[in-house]
Amino acid sequence: MYNAHRGMVPAPNNRLTELLEQIRAEFDNQQNRTGEYEQQMAAQMQEMEMVRQKVYTLEQTQVAIKNRYEEELNRLRHELEVRGGPSGHIGLPPHGGPSHAQPPNIGNGQSTLFGGIMANPPGQGGPGLAPPSQESQQQGPPPHQMPQPPPGPQPSQPSQFGAYSQPPQVNGGYISQPPQTTASPGPGKGRGIRGPPGPATPQQNQQAPYPDRASPQIPRPTPPPQQSQIPNVGNMLADLDPDRLGPHQKREGDDWFAVFNPRVPRLLDVNLVHNLVHESVVCCVRFSQDGRYVATGCNRSAQIFDVNTGKQVQHLQDDTVDKDGDLYIRSVCFSPDGKYLATGAEDKQIRVWDIATKTIRRTFSGHEQDIYSLDFARNGRHIASGSGDRTVRVWDIDADREVLNLVIEDGVTTVAISPDGQYVAAGSLDKSVRVWDVRTGYVVERLDGLDGHKDSVYSVAFAPNGRDLVSGSLDKTIKMWELGSESRGGMMNGQTPRGGRCVRTFEGHKDFVLSVALTPDGQWVLSGSKDRGVQFWDPRTGDTQLMLQGHKNSGQLTRAI
């Protein structure tokens, strides 16, 4: 009976076991999903932290951009004030395209090569250098003086101009010259056109992004007060407001001022020594090589002043010239010994004056248009001249004749003879600088191309070392060139000129660069511009040291400072 009773116990419930297993599996699944959710939450929190950091970075960038915009607005307002325009609002320009300036011509009168550049206010009109009429002298700046190679002691070795004694006689005594292989664009070609001013600088209101979220509260650094007050204008020192500069960053007189670059150490100082008043427009200025005298060219006459006293010591005027009309002296140049003064005028003649006796020793004729530049060789015997008739000529004072005639494709604006007398350089309307070997009459350098000037070259000057050359252009820049060793070694007939190397471009003027020079020690490059400023540049860094303004019209440079 017992065995029968045990046989009646029910079998285990498999359904319950299955339910328990399902519950256990669901629990494990939920536990795994919880871990995944926690990982996702951690990743999202990390992403939110990154977004917060980015928002903070953007906020800092927005503040910096706003500060730069404010500096730009201040600069533009100051520029408008300097140019005589309203300073309270900077808006869009009036409708209409830019005016197209006529390209320069070569000839006489106000429409000549240099007729427009001095007859208009700064920043207006086309290039030109002809002086204004007597009735408009108060409005038009004077013509510029093309700088020449810096003074210095005469070399002990004889000059290579001895090769001039027996030049080839072709076409009336002019030396033959190989044809130029590179065609120049000609006057006015490829010139940039000034457009209307740009739109107003946008104003930004500083608002916290995501106002409903808190950005990281980290203190922002405050710039030093002095740096925050002086905008960073680079080499554009004309954009600095002298009233906002400290006493150590400017020099001021009754009718002149100088500002020093606040971004570089101050190494120079400047002060007004003399104010030499003239009765007519001053077209050119030149120091004697010993620095004792300074000569100026005006309408019909040249004057010589004592540098120490500021008194006029000589007045040179050719009384045989017809008294009707104007006759401006475009260029003046002392002989190395200071006994003679060469003048180039609008009547296409070069006069060599004996300063002591006030008499004309030599008169050279041959140019067919105005003479814009002269330079004496260190041997005191030869003079180089450049003219709008597209020629560079070299004259022998002792032999009383022309010994070299170099023809190019466009008007010559400036000439310079190297310190050793072996080379003559010239700037031209075709944007190029050419260097000739005076012994052969062949071009040994043509400085242009991609690294060259983008507009006409109005001034060239050799460095004291004779290896470097500085040029100034209507493209508002100054360039320093290193001449190749092949050039200094000479070239054979028919060879292609080897281009020199542009080692530095100086940018900072706001208008045409009309004159360049170097100090006698070669430590500083100087430039005069239609923006009425004279700037001193460090040739090693390209930084400008100071800007000097003391004229109501375009600045003129001399060889000695």
Side-chain angles (χ1 to χ4, degrees), residues 103 112-113 116 138 140 172 213 218 228-230 316 355 399 462 477 534:
T112 64
L113 159 67
Q138 298 299 326
R213 301 181 185 180
I218 297 178
S228 63
Q229 295 175 2
I230 303 176
L316 306 175
I355 297 175
F462 276 98
T477 69
V534 175

Side-chain angles (χ1 to χ4, degrees), residues 133-151:
S133 62
Q134 292 286 27
E135 291 78 4
S136 61
Q137 286 181 9
Q138 298 299 326
Q139 297 180 358
H144 80 290
Q145 160 66 8
M146 305 298 177
Q148 311 295 339

Side-chain angles (χ1 to χ4, degrees), residues 87-108:
S87 60
H89 175 71
I90 302 176
L92 292 170
H95 180 71
S99 60
H100 293 256
Q102 294 294 329
N105 298 316
I106 299 176
N108 297 320

Side-chain angles (χ1 to χ4, degrees), residues 498-514:
R498 301 176 185 270
R501 184 171 67 96
C502 179
V503 297
R504 184 78 63 190
T505 298
F506 307 90
E507 297 181 279
H509 280 296
K510 302 177 75 66
D511 214 325
F512 304 146
V513 176
L514 304 178

Side-chain angles (χ1 to χ4, degrees), residues 146-374:
M146 305 298 177
Q148 311 295 339
Q154 296 190 27
S156 58
Q157 60 185 16
S159 169
Q160 296 298 326
F161 275 96
Y164 293 151
S165 56
Q166 298 294 332
Q169 301 295 321
V170 179
N171 294 332
Y174 296 164
I175 187 170
S176 60
Q177 178 182 338
Q180 301 292 329
T181 57
T182 305
S184 61
K189 297 182 180 180
R191 304 274 173 83
I193 297 178
R194 299 174 183 270
T201 305
Q203 298 284 348
Q204 291 194 3
N205 296 324
Q206 183 175 352
Q207 298 180 355
Y210 306 101
D212 56 336
R213 301 181 185 180
S215 297
Q217 301 300 319
I218 297 178
R220 299 168 183 166
T222 302
Q226 182 177 354
Q227 296 296 327
S228 63
Q229 295 175 2
I230 303 176
N232 184 6
V233 298
N235 288 329
M236 291 281 186
L237 299 189
D239 290 337
L240 292 176
D241 183 358
D243 296 335
R244 298 181 61 186
L245 299 178
H248 64 289
Q249 293 173 334
K250 62 183 178 180
R251 274 273 203 169
E252 293 182 288
D254 293 337
D255 57 354
W256 68 276
F257 71 92
V259 294
F260 297 86
N261 192 342
R263 308 296 170 179
V264 300
R266 177 173 169 178
L267 303 177
L268 298 176
D269 200 2
V270 64
N271 204 352
L272 180 65
V273 179
H274 299 297
N275 185 11
L276 308 178
V277 180
H278 293 71
E279 296 180 356
S280 71
V281 171
V282 178
C283 303
C284 51
V285 184
R286 193 69 173 268
F287 278 93
S288 61
Q289 290 201 15
D290 59 11
R292 296 176 54 193
Y293 301 99
V294 60
T296 61
C298 298
N299 187 14
R300 294 187 168 273
S301 68
Q303 292 71 225
I304 299 178
F305 298 86
D306 187 300
V307 171
N308 292 327
T309 65
K311 295 181 179 180
Q312 180 175 310
V313 297
Q314 204 59 280
H315 178 88
L316 306 175
Q317 182 170 344
D318 188 354
D319 294 328
T320 65
V321 178
D322 187 0
K323 300 297 189 295
D324 295 335
D326 295 327
L327 180 62
Y328 286 94
I329 308 297
R330 298 281 194 178
S331 181
V332 293
C333 183
F334 282 96
S335 62
D337 57 10
K339 294 182 179 180
Y340 304 105
L341 183 74
T343 62
E346 291 180 320
D347 62 359
K348 314 177 187 70
Q349 291 189 347
I350 301 170
R351 296 171 176 85
V352 181
W353 295 83
D354 186 312
I355 297 175
T357 63
K358 297 176 59 175
T359 58
I360 299 176
R361 182 187 177 190
R362 293 281 188 266
T363 299
F364 294 114
S365 301
H367 281 296
E368 299 176 359
Q369 292 191 21
D370 296 0
I371 298 167
Y372 296 124
S373 183
L374 296 174

Side-chain angles (χ1 to χ4, degrees), residues 56 80 482 550:
Y56 175 70
L80 282 177
E482 181 182 56

Side-chain angles (χ1 to χ4, degrees), residues 106-107 113 348 366-372 385-393 405-408 410-412:
I106 299 176
L113 159 67
K348 314 177 187 70
H367 281 296
E368 299 176 359
Q369 292 191 21
D370 296 0
I371 298 167
Y372 296 124
S385 60
S387 168
D389 63 6
R390 307 183 183 187
T391 66
V392 176
R393 306 185 189 217
N405 187 322
L406 307 168
V407 183
I408 64 173
D410 221 329
V412 178

